[in-house]
Amino acid sequence: MTVQELWDSGLLKQINEGDDMDREISKLFCCDLLSIAMSKAPAGCAWVTVMGNMNTLAVASLSDAACVIMAEGAHLDETALTKAKMQGIAVMETELPIFDAALAIHQRLTGA
């Protein structure tokens, strides 16, 4: 599944369209501790988190995440949203808990 396909799925609220919407999502990654995400998030992942600050976008960029999904009703703060737009990072939101959001995306990703 590409970022665009996830974007268009209706599963998540669209927040910021990224520069590489045709990028394949390789897997899911769930983590709210930025130091762990920076060292363990796989390139091309859809990162599900509740951390909505500028550091989240820096880690997404450094780890080469395909997109960021804000779960549990969390939102990017204004500074982070500006950063996402500047860096072309795809960001989506959901009210679902992290596990439920990741499971729903996983089911779409794998066709399960």
Side-chain angles (χ1 to χ4, degrees):
M1 173 173 43
T2 66
V3 175
Q4 185 69 54
E5 289 168 334
L6 181 59
W7 182 266
D8 293 338
S9 71
L11 184 64
L12 305 164
K13 181 178 177 187
Q14 302 167 342
I15 301 302
N16 188 66
E17 188 169 0
D19 289 344
D20 192 4
M21 298 297 283
D22 292 327
R23 184 163 186 195
E24 286 289 326
I25 296 171
S26 60
K27 63 180 1 185
L28 287 161
F29 181 75
C30 302
C31 185
D32 293 324
L33 188 57
L34 297 178
S35 59
I36 297 293
M38 189 166 31
S39 65
K40 302 229 183 228
C45 71
W47 178 19
V48 185
T49 185
V50 296
M51 299 296 294
N53 60 40
M54 192 166 78
N55 292 335
T56 301
L57 282 297
V59 171
S61 181
L62 285 171
S63 66
D64 197 25
C67 60
V68 175
I69 293 106
M70 303 299 303
E72 312 229 10
H75 308 284
L76 292 179
D77 62 34
E78 286 302 315
T79 304
L81 181 57
T82 300
K83 183 82 163 174
K85 290 177 182 178
M86 286 175 38
Q87 292 190 329
I89 299 171
V91 179
M92 294 163 255
E93 291 180 356
T94 182
E95 295 292 323
L96 292 172
I98 291 173
F99 176 82
D100 295 335
L103 179 60
I105 296 164
H106 172 75
Q107 289 170 335
R108 294 223 182 209
L109 187 64
T110 62

